[in-house]
PDB file of all heavy atoms in Angstrom:
ATOM      1  N   GLY A   6     -12.288  -5.737  -1.502  1.00 94.00           N
ATOM      2  CA  GLY A   6     -11.136  -6.593  -1.298  1.00 94.00           C
ATOM      3  C   GLY A   6     -10.519  -6.996  -2.622  1.00 94.00           C
ATOM      4  O   GLY A   6     -11.151  -6.874  -3.678  1.00 94.00           O
ATOM      5  N   ILE A   7      -9.282  -7.459  -2.561  1.00 97.00           N
ATOM      6  CA  ILE A   7      -8.599  -7.931  -3.757  1.00 97.00           C
ATOM      7  C   ILE A   7      -7.950  -9.274  -3.461  1.00 97.00           C
ATOM      8  O   ILE A   7      -7.688  -9.621  -2.311  1.00 97.00           O
ATOM      9  CB  ILE A   7      -7.536  -6.931  -4.253  1.00 97.00           C
ATOM     10  CG1 ILE A   7      -6.475  -6.659  -3.177  1.00 97.00           C
ATOM     11  CG2 ILE A   7      -8.200  -5.633  -4.697  1.00 97.00           C
ATOM     12  CD1 ILE A   7      -5.337  -5.753  -3.629  1.00 97.00           C
ATOM     13  N   ALA A   8      -7.680 -10.025  -4.520  1.00 98.00           N
ATOM     14  CA  ALA A   8      -7.003 -11.310  -4.380  1.00 98.00           C
ATOM     15  C   ALA A   8      -6.465 -11.712  -5.742  1.00 98.00           C
ATOM     16  O   ALA A   8      -6.854 -11.149  -6.768  1.00 98.00           O
ATOM     17  CB  ALA A   8      -7.953 -12.377  -3.844  1.00 98.00           C
ATOM     18  N   GLY A   9      -5.580 -12.689  -5.729  1.00 98.00           N
ATOM     19  CA  GLY A   9      -5.060 -13.148  -7.006  1.00 98.00           C
ATOM     20  C   GLY A   9      -4.087 -14.294  -6.876  1.00 98.00           C
ATOM     21  O   GLY A   9      -3.591 -14.602  -5.784  1.00 98.00           O
ATOM     22  N   LEU A  23      -9.281 -20.581  -7.383  1.00 96.00           N
ATOM     23  CA  LEU A  23      -9.879 -19.269  -7.637  1.00 96.00           C
ATOM     24  C   LEU A  23     -11.229 -19.145  -6.945  1.00 96.00           C
ATOM     25  O   LEU A  23     -11.536 -18.123  -6.316  1.00 96.00           O
ATOM     26  CB  LEU A  23     -10.031 -19.057  -9.147  1.00 96.00           C
ATOM     27  CG  LEU A  23     -10.438 -17.671  -9.618  1.00 96.00           C
ATOM     28  CD1 LEU A  23      -9.393 -16.634  -9.248  1.00 96.00           C
ATOM     29  CD2 LEU A  23     -10.661 -17.677 -11.127  1.00 96.00           C
ATOM     30  N   LEU A  26     -10.880 -18.633  -3.148  1.00 96.00           N
ATOM     31  CA  LEU A  26     -10.568 -17.242  -2.831  1.00 96.00           C
ATOM     32  C   LEU A  26     -11.829 -16.390  -2.885  1.00 96.00           C
ATOM     33  O   LEU A  26     -12.095 -15.575  -1.991  1.00 96.00           O
ATOM     34  CB  LEU A  26      -9.524 -16.687  -3.806  1.00 96.00           C
ATOM     35  CG  LEU A  26      -8.071 -17.135  -3.627  1.00 96.00           C
ATOM     36  CD1 LEU A  26      -7.197 -16.500  -4.704  1.00 96.00           C
ATOM     37  CD2 LEU A  26      -7.534 -16.777  -2.248  1.00 96.00           C
ATOM     38  N   LYS A  27     -12.607 -16.566  -3.932  1.00 96.00           N
ATOM     39  CA  LYS A  27     -13.830 -15.776  -4.093  1.00 96.00           C
ATOM     40  C   LYS A  27     -14.837 -16.076  -2.985  1.00 96.00           C
ATOM     41  O   LYS A  27     -15.460 -15.155  -2.438  1.00 96.00           O
ATOM     42  CB  LYS A  27     -14.447 -16.037  -5.472  1.00 96.00           C
ATOM     43  CG  LYS A  27     -13.642 -15.461  -6.617  1.00 96.00           C
ATOM     44  CD  LYS A  27     -14.166 -15.898  -7.966  1.00 96.00           C
ATOM     45  CE  LYS A  27     -15.519 -15.316  -8.270  1.00 96.00           C
ATOM     46  NZ  LYS A  27     -15.968 -15.667  -9.649  1.00 96.00           N
ATOM     47  N   LEU A  30     -13.983 -14.282   0.115  1.00 95.00           N
ATOM     48  CA  LEU A  30     -14.048 -12.823   0.006  1.00 95.00           C
ATOM     49  C   LEU A  30     -15.459 -12.353  -0.314  1.00 95.00           C
ATOM     50  O   LEU A  30     -15.689 -11.170  -0.540  1.00 95.00           O
ATOM     51  CB  LEU A  30     -13.087 -12.322  -1.088  1.00 95.00           C
ATOM     52  CG  LEU A  30     -11.598 -12.330  -0.752  1.00 95.00           C
ATOM     53  CD1 LEU A  30     -10.796 -11.895  -1.970  1.00 95.00           C
ATOM     54  CD2 LEU A  30     -11.302 -11.411   0.427  1.00 95.00           C
ATOM     55  N   PHE A  38     -18.292  -9.534  -8.006  1.00 94.00           N
ATOM     56  CA  PHE A  38     -16.876  -9.763  -8.305  1.00 94.00           C
ATOM     57  C   PHE A  38     -16.563  -9.293  -9.718  1.00 94.00           C
ATOM     58  O   PHE A  38     -17.380  -9.402 -10.623  1.00 94.00           O
ATOM     59  CB  PHE A  38     -16.525 -11.250  -8.208  1.00 94.00           C
ATOM     60  CG  PHE A  38     -16.418 -11.773  -6.807  1.00 94.00           C
ATOM     61  CD1 PHE A  38     -17.450 -12.493  -6.243  1.00 94.00           C
ATOM     62  CD2 PHE A  38     -15.272 -11.560  -6.052  1.00 94.00           C
ATOM     63  CE1 PHE A  38     -17.358 -12.991  -4.952  1.00 94.00           C
ATOM     64  CE2 PHE A  38     -15.161 -12.037  -4.761  1.00 94.00           C
ATOM     65  CZ  PHE A  38     -16.201 -12.765  -4.213  1.00 94.00           C
ATOM     66  N   GLN A  39     -15.365  -8.797  -9.879  1.00 95.00           N
ATOM     67  CA  GLN A  39     -14.808  -8.514 -11.192  1.00 95.00           C
ATOM     68  C   GLN A  39     -13.475  -9.234 -11.237  1.00 95.00           C
ATOM     69  O   GLN A  39     -12.745  -9.247 -10.238  1.00 95.00           O
ATOM     70  CB  GLN A  39     -14.631  -7.007 -11.396  1.00 95.00           C
ATOM     71  CG  GLN A  39     -15.948  -6.260 -11.393  1.00 95.00           C
ATOM     72  CD  GLN A  39     -15.813  -4.746 -11.303  1.00 95.00           C
ATOM     73  OE1 GLN A  39     -16.800  -4.050 -11.168  1.00 95.00           O
ATOM     74  NE2 GLN A  39     -14.604  -4.227 -11.361  1.00 95.00           N
ATOM     75  N   GLU A  40     -13.160  -9.857 -12.353  1.00 95.00           N
ATOM     76  CA  GLU A  40     -11.940 -10.644 -12.387  1.00 95.00           C
ATOM     77  C   GLU A  40     -11.265 -10.633 -13.754  1.00 95.00           C
ATOM     78  O   GLU A  40     -11.877 -10.324 -14.775  1.00 95.00           O
ATOM     79  CB  GLU A  40     -12.220 -12.089 -11.955  1.00 95.00           C
ATOM     80  CG  GLU A  40     -13.238 -12.811 -12.819  1.00 95.00           C
ATOM     81  CD  GLU A  40     -13.613 -14.164 -12.241  1.00 95.00           C
ATOM     82  OE1 GLU A  40     -14.311 -14.202 -11.208  1.00 95.00           O
ATOM     83  OE2 GLU A  40     -13.211 -15.193 -12.834  1.00 95.00           O
ATOM     84  N   TYR A  41      -9.986 -10.960 -13.710  1.00 96.00           N
ATOM     85  CA  TYR A  41      -9.180 -11.123 -14.917  1.00 96.00           C
ATOM     86  C   TYR A  41      -8.497 -12.473 -14.809  1.00 96.00           C
ATOM     87  O   TYR A  41      -7.777 -12.735 -13.846  1.00 96.00           O
ATOM     88  CB  TYR A  41      -8.136 -10.003 -15.012  1.00 96.00           C
ATOM     89  CG  TYR A  41      -7.144 -10.170 -16.145  1.00 96.00           C
ATOM     90  CD1 TYR A  41      -7.374  -9.572 -17.379  1.00 96.00           C
ATOM     91  CD2 TYR A  41      -5.985 -10.924 -15.985  1.00 96.00           C
ATOM     92  CE1 TYR A  41      -6.466  -9.727 -18.425  1.00 96.00           C
ATOM     93  CE2 TYR A  41      -5.082 -11.080 -17.022  1.00 96.00           C
ATOM     94  CZ  TYR A  41      -5.329 -10.479 -18.234  1.00 96.00           C
ATOM     95  OH  TYR A  41      -4.439 -10.633 -19.264  1.00 96.00           O
ATOM     96  N   ALA A  47      -4.591 -14.870 -12.390  1.00 97.00           N
ATOM     97  CA  ALA A  47      -5.984 -14.567 -12.029  1.00 97.00           C
ATOM     98  C   ALA A  47      -5.977 -13.464 -10.974  1.00 97.00           C
ATOM     99  O   ALA A  47      -5.362 -13.613  -9.912  1.00 97.00           O
ATOM    100  CB  ALA A  47      -6.692 -15.801 -11.496  1.00 97.00           C
ATOM    101  N   PHE A  48      -6.611 -12.335 -11.284  1.00 98.00           N
ATOM    102  CA  PHE A  48      -6.770 -11.234 -10.339  1.00 98.00           C
ATOM    103  C   PHE A  48      -8.258 -11.045 -10.071  1.00 98.00           C
ATOM    104  O   PHE A  48      -9.073 -11.109 -10.990  1.00 98.00           O
ATOM    105  CB  PHE A  48      -6.197  -9.931 -10.906  1.00 98.00           C
ATOM    106  CG  PHE A  48      -4.711  -9.750 -10.694  1.00 98.00           C
ATOM    107  CD1 PHE A  48      -3.883 -10.833 -10.498  1.00 98.00           C
ATOM    108  CD2 PHE A  48      -4.152  -8.488 -10.714  1.00 98.00           C
ATOM    109  CE1 PHE A  48      -2.519 -10.671 -10.314  1.00 98.00           C
ATOM    110  CE2 PHE A  48      -2.788  -8.306 -10.526  1.00 98.00           C
ATOM    111  CZ  PHE A  48      -1.970  -9.397 -10.323  1.00 98.00           C
ATOM    112  N   ILE A  49      -8.594 -10.786  -8.807  1.00 97.00           N
ATOM    113  CA  ILE A  49      -9.991 -10.646  -8.395  1.00 97.00           C
ATOM    114  C   ILE A  49     -10.200  -9.317  -7.677  1.00 97.00           C
ATOM    115  O   ILE A  49      -9.385  -8.912  -6.847  1.00 97.00           O
ATOM    116  CB  ILE A  49     -10.396 -11.778  -7.425  1.00 97.00           C
ATOM    117  CG1 ILE A  49     -10.172 -13.149  -8.044  1.00 97.00           C
ATOM    118  CG2 ILE A  49     -11.853 -11.628  -6.990  1.00 97.00           C
ATOM    119  CD1 ILE A  49     -10.250 -14.279  -7.020  1.00 97.00           C
ATOM    120  N   TYR A  50     -11.316  -8.672  -7.984  1.00 96.00           N
ATOM    121  CA  TYR A  50     -11.735  -7.472  -7.257  1.00 96.00           C
ATOM    122  C   TYR A  50     -13.098  -7.750  -6.654  1.00 96.00           C
ATOM    123  O   TYR A  50     -14.084  -7.975  -7.365  1.00 96.00           O
ATOM    124  CB  TYR A  50     -11.802  -6.277  -8.208  1.00 96.00           C
ATOM    125  CG  TYR A  50     -12.269  -4.980  -7.582  1.00 96.00           C
ATOM    126  CD1 TYR A  50     -11.747  -4.536  -6.370  1.00 96.00           C
ATOM    127  CD2 TYR A  50     -13.234  -4.192  -8.211  1.00 96.00           C
ATOM    128  CE1 TYR A  50     -12.161  -3.349  -5.805  1.00 96.00           C
ATOM    129  CE2 TYR A  50     -13.649  -2.994  -7.656  1.00 96.00           C
ATOM    130  CZ  TYR A  50     -13.120  -2.570  -6.461  1.00 96.00           C
ATOM    131  OH  TYR A  50     -13.535  -1.381  -5.891  1.00 96.00           O
ATOM    132  N   ALA A  51     -13.172  -7.797  -5.317  1.00 94.00           N
ATOM    133  CA  ALA A  51     -14.433  -7.981  -4.601  1.00 94.00           C
ATOM    134  C   ALA A  51     -14.973  -6.584  -4.303  1.00 94.00           C
ATOM    135  O   ALA A  51     -14.440  -5.873  -3.458  1.00 94.00           O
ATOM    136  CB  ALA A  51     -14.204  -8.762  -3.312  1.00 94.00           C
ATOM    137  N   GLN A  64     -12.251  -3.067 -12.539  1.00 95.00           N
ATOM    138  CA  GLN A  64     -10.903  -3.604 -12.486  1.00 95.00           C
ATOM    139  C   GLN A  64     -10.988  -5.100 -12.204  1.00 95.00           C
ATOM    140  O   GLN A  64     -12.083  -5.586 -11.914  1.00 95.00           O
ATOM    141  CB  GLN A  64     -10.090  -2.851 -11.421  1.00 95.00           C
ATOM    142  CG  GLN A  64     -10.744  -2.765 -10.056  1.00 95.00           C
ATOM    143  CD  GLN A  64      -9.784  -2.287  -8.978  1.00 95.00           C
ATOM    144  OE1 GLN A  64      -8.683  -2.784  -8.851  1.00 95.00           O
ATOM    145  NE2 GLN A  64     -10.215  -1.318  -8.197  1.00 95.00           N
ATOM    146  N   PRO A  65      -9.888  -5.805 -12.355  1.00 97.00           N
ATOM    147  CA  PRO A  65      -8.508  -5.415 -12.616  1.00 97.00           C
ATOM    148  C   PRO A  65      -8.347  -4.711 -13.964  1.00 97.00           C
ATOM    149  O   PRO A  65      -9.156  -4.894 -14.874  1.00 97.00           O
ATOM    150  CB  PRO A  65      -7.754  -6.750 -12.590  1.00 97.00           C
ATOM    151  CG  PRO A  65      -8.638  -7.685 -11.824  1.00 97.00           C
ATOM    152  CD  PRO A  65     -10.025  -7.262 -12.142  1.00 97.00           C
ATOM    153  N   VAL A  76      -4.572  -4.485  -9.742  1.00 98.00           N
ATOM    154  CA  VAL A  76      -5.828  -4.515  -8.996  1.00 98.00           C
ATOM    155  C   VAL A  76      -5.568  -3.776  -7.690  1.00 98.00           C
ATOM    156  O   VAL A  76      -4.483  -3.882  -7.120  1.00 98.00           O
ATOM    157  CB  VAL A  76      -6.324  -5.959  -8.751  1.00 98.00           C
ATOM    158  CG1 VAL A  76      -5.380  -6.732  -7.839  1.00 98.00           C
ATOM    159  CG2 VAL A  76      -7.743  -5.982  -8.219  1.00 98.00           C
ATOM    160  N   PHE A 157      -2.140 -13.686  -3.270  1.00 98.00           N
ATOM    161  CA  PHE A 157      -2.375 -12.554  -2.387  1.00 98.00           C
ATOM    162  C   PHE A 157      -3.859 -12.376  -2.122  1.00 98.00           C
ATOM    163  O   PHE A 157      -4.701 -12.844  -2.890  1.00 98.00           O
ATOM    164  CB  PHE A 157      -1.784 -11.260  -2.981  1.00 98.00           C
ATOM    165  CG  PHE A 157      -2.450 -10.791  -4.244  1.00 98.00           C
ATOM    166  CD1 PHE A 157      -3.506  -9.896  -4.209  1.00 98.00           C
ATOM    167  CD2 PHE A 157      -2.011 -11.236  -5.489  1.00 98.00           C
ATOM    168  CE1 PHE A 157      -4.119  -9.459  -5.371  1.00 98.00           C
ATOM    169  CE2 PHE A 157      -2.610 -10.799  -6.658  1.00 98.00           C
ATOM    170  CZ  PHE A 157      -3.676  -9.903  -6.599  1.00 98.00           C
TER     171      PHE A 157
END
Side-chain angles (χ1 to χ4, degrees):
I7 59 176
L23 189 63
L26 285 179
K27 290 172 68 175
L30 285 176
F38 285 101
Q39 296 168 187
E40 59 188 71
Y41 173 93
F48 275 24
I49 303 167
Y50 178 47
Q64 52 167 311
V76 66
F157 66 92

